[in-house]
Amino acid sequence: VVYADYVISSGHQLDDPQINTDEVLITGPESEVKNVVAAQAELFLGNVTQTVNTASPLTLINEAGETVASNYITLATKSVNVTVKLYALKDVPLNVDYKHGFFNDQNVKISINPSVVTLRGEPSVLEKIDSISIATLDEKKYLTNTTQNVSIDLPAGVSMMNGENNAVITLEHINTGTKQITVNNITLLNSGGLDCKLQSESINVILRGPFNQLSQITEDDISVTVDMKNYSAGSGLTVVPATIKLASD
């Protein structure tokens, strides 16, 4: 396939053509047929603004790329269907989301490497993409500064120009600290009819927040409850999630 005449906007590019067949049958005298090395589709695309699907007549060519004109050669297939995809390139930033909304620019510094990626896709798809979220961070699991590798899940119909679908997230806590408090008062809820007891009468709670607020929090400000509503009678050890609340919640 040869692109003979076309115009595309800056930043756009044409993909390799896709043809509905890889070969065609020609018949004729051997002395004529032996000069043919390929059947060529010449496309006159004009101003290309989207993916093109077109039928193109075939021309026989010799090793020098010249047209083979012969009244004795017959082409079983006179034309082929060709699809030419138009792609654009777009630089978009990477970012992260937060599960609980605790983190912000005042208490964490997030660095992503690379911070920007170049996407390749059809213009109509790329125009809807302004950024890519590569992770939803659960703030409760990030007590210390952390670096982690994540895969970049791309929207359908686009690819990365560099082929690397991974990024590194670095999280640094700023203006906050941690404080561990042992809570000795744990309340069992909905335990009626169940012969159960806590394996431990206390639990260590780790808080993160502004230094001045942490210094004022004591055990009395924290409540811990264990709800047995969805558990039936049985024997053995069962792990049940605890709900922890601060007095200000």
Side-chain angles (χ1 to χ4, degrees):
V1 177
V2 175
Y3 300 147
D5 180 27
Y6 69 92
V7 177
I8 59 176
S9 299
S10 176
H12 292 184
Q13 56 184 217
L14 296 180
D15 196 16
D16 294 333
Q18 301 173 12
I19 313 172
N20 67 323
T21 183
D22 294 328
E23 57 183 28
V24 293
L25 176 66
I26 64 173
T27 57
E30 182 181 356
S31 58
E32 299 280 339
V33 171
K34 70 179 183 180
N35 294 322
V36 178
V37 296
Q40 179 175 280
E42 191 171 15
L43 302 183
F44 295 86
L45 301 177
N47 184 28
V48 183
T49 59
Q50 61 185 359
T51 292
V52 176
N53 296 289
T54 185
S56 175
L58 292 174
T59 301
L60 300 178
I61 59 173
N62 59 24
E63 191 172 354
E66 301 166 334
T67 300
V68 176
S70 173
N71 295 326
Y72 304 104
I73 297 178
T74 301
L75 259 172
T77 303
K78 302 296 184 182
S79 65
V80 291
N81 295 323
V82 183
T83 297
V84 182
K85 291 186 176 182
L86 175 69
Y87 286 119
L89 303 179
K90 184 176 183 179
D91 292 335
V92 298
L94 302 180
N95 57 37
V96 297
D97 294 320
Y98 302 124
K99 183 176 181 179
H100 304 286
F102 298 154
F103 286 166
N104 55 53
D105 293 341
Q106 302 303 311
N107 53 37
V108 293
K109 178 182 178 182
I110 299 291
S111 300
I112 302 175
N113 185 27
S115 59
V116 176
V117 295
T118 301
L119 300 182
R120 180 176 183 263
E122 294 194 44
S124 60
V125 175
L126 287 184
E127 70 180 8
K128 300 174 183 178
I129 304 173
D130 295 318
S131 64
I132 296 177
S133 176
I134 59 175
T136 299
L137 304 183
D138 185 344
E139 298 96 318
K140 296 181 180 180
K141 297 181 178 179
Y142 293 88
L143 293 177
T144 61
N145 296 339
T146 305
T147 297
Q148 68 180 92
N149 292 289
V150 298
S151 59
I152 303 173
D153 293 329
L154 298 175
V158 302
S159 60
M160 296 267 288
M161 278 299 293
N162 61 6
E164 292 291 335
N165 282 31
N166 295 288
V168 178
I169 301 172
T170 301
L171 182 150
E172 179 185 354
H173 292 279
I174 56 177
N175 304 319
T176 62
T178 60
K179 181 177 183 178
Q180 178 172 300
I181 298 177
T182 300
V183 179
N184 296 288
N185 184 21
I186 303 175
T187 303
L188 273 176
L189 301 177
N190 300 308
S191 60
L194 296 177
D195 182 14
C196 62
K197 65 178 182 179
L198 296 170
Q199 185 183 35
S200 174
E201 297 296 331
S202 65
I203 185 172
N204 292 325
V205 177
I206 301 177
L207 305 175
R208 175 175 282 280
F211 297 104
N212 62 329
Q213 294 183 26
L214 287 177
S215 64
Q216 300 175 30
I217 297 175
T218 67
E219 179 186 354
D220 294 335
D221 298 312
I222 303 173
S223 65
V224 179
T225 57
V226 176
D227 194 343
M228 302 300 297
K229 179 179 179 180
N230 296 321
Y231 296 87
S232 58
S235 61
L237 182 65
T238 300
V239 178
V240 181
T243 299
I244 301 172
K245 290 187 176 182
L246 286 174
S248 58
D249 287 351

